[in-house]
Amino acid sequence: DPENKFTVPYMGTLSVTLANKPMLDELGVTVNTAKDLLNPALENNILIFDDIEANITLGLQGAGLDPTTKDLNALDSAKDYLLQLNSNLKSFSQIADERISITRGEVALAYIYNGDAMQAMRENSNLEVVMKEEAFPLTIDNMVILKGTKHKKEAQLFIDFILRPEITAQLVEEFSYVCFNNAAVEYLSDDLANSEICV
């Protein structure tokens, strides 16, 4: 759909690394790249979520490879990195459990969706996004009108409603994922409008 006639971006999701800064400082660890997650000082102190695509991307980054590579042999390098990372993992977690754990200060790091990271940072001022020398993997949720739908008019009306700037802003305020609607930014609170992981 190169002309966006039938699909429209709704929100996007970034995979980010959220850190408890005082815990990292106490461990003497700085995390700028995925390779930094292999620091032995982080043993049993990292959570990653059960998203295969995001974890393969993390593995490729940790192996120093382009995460958009089409070379299947690169997967072996990603696998090797993830196996090395195992000793530093507390667990593979569901996203809600991960958010709760990092918010409570139970781990130093969580590889997490940006919306959940924003929610956690609102509850714990010690949290911040790190590993900024790596690109944040992005996925896009689209609204789609299926060919042959019996309710095309209603679907268009719903999409039009969702894309009203003030409505999009309300949704982003609630869920804190990536906002693709530029006209909605002026309706966002400052913490979201100025966030590197939301706008």
Side-chain angles (χ1 to χ4, degrees):
D1 185 22
E3 297 177 9
N4 294 320
K5 289 182 177 179
F6 305 104
T7 61
V8 179
Y10 168 55
M11 284 190 203
T13 303
L14 296 173
S15 301
V16 301
T17 303
L18 188 62
N20 183 307
K21 190 64 169 63
M23 290 180 74
L24 280 190
D25 291 344
E26 186 176 333
L27 294 169
V29 174
T30 301
V31 177
N32 296 315
T33 68
K35 289 181 181 178
D36 294 330
L37 297 179
L38 298 177
N39 189 322
L42 292 171
E43 183 178 3
N44 200 37
N45 232 328
I46 301 173
L47 296 176
I48 62 177
F49 53 126
D50 51 355
D51 182 321
I52 294 171
E53 185 177 345
N55 292 334
I56 290 173
T57 297
L58 177 65
L60 290 167
Q61 290 174 324
L65 300 172
D66 178 355
T68 63
T69 183
K70 295 180 181 178
D71 179 6
L72 291 178
N73 294 322
L75 293 178
D76 288 331
S77 299
K79 175 185 171 185
D80 291 342
Y81 168 84
L82 291 170
L83 288 173
Q84 290 177 61
L85 185 62
N86 269 342
S87 61
N88 286 351
L89 296 184
K90 185 170 184 120
S91 75
F92 286 88
S93 300
Q94 292 186 349
I95 195 69
D97 295 334
E98 191 179 18
R99 184 183 66 246
I100 291 167
S101 187
I102 189 77
T103 302
R104 290 179 178 168
E106 296 172 352
V107 291
L109 291 160
Y111 189 56
I112 192 169
Y113 294 133
N114 64 303
D116 297 276
M118 288 297 296
Q119 292 175 46
M121 287 189 289
R122 287 179 180 138
E123 295 179 37
N124 184 338
S125 60
N126 290 325
L127 302 178
E128 65 179 47
V129 174
V130 295
M131 213 169 82
K132 295 182 183 180
E133 291 181 19
E134 304 284 9
F136 298 140
L138 170 67
T139 58
I140 301 173
D141 294 329
N142 289 307
M143 294 180 283
V144 179
I145 297 177
L146 299 175
K147 182 177 181 180
T149 183
K150 296 178 182 178
H151 301 285
K152 183 175 180 181
K153 180 179 179 182
E154 289 85 351
Q156 289 172 327
L157 289 170
F158 177 75
I159 291 171
D160 286 345
F161 174 76
I162 293 296
L163 293 179
R164 292 178 189 171
E166 64 277 14
I167 301 301
T168 295
Q170 288 178 33
L171 291 166
V172 174
E173 289 286 346
E174 181 68 25
F175 300 108
S176 305
Y177 288 98
V178 177
C179 176
F180 291 114
N181 187 338
N182 292 336
V185 174
E186 67 177 284
Y187 295 93
L188 295 176
S189 58
D190 288 346
D191 69 322
L192 292 175
N194 298 319
S195 172
E196 63 188 338
I197 62 171
C198 282
V199 176

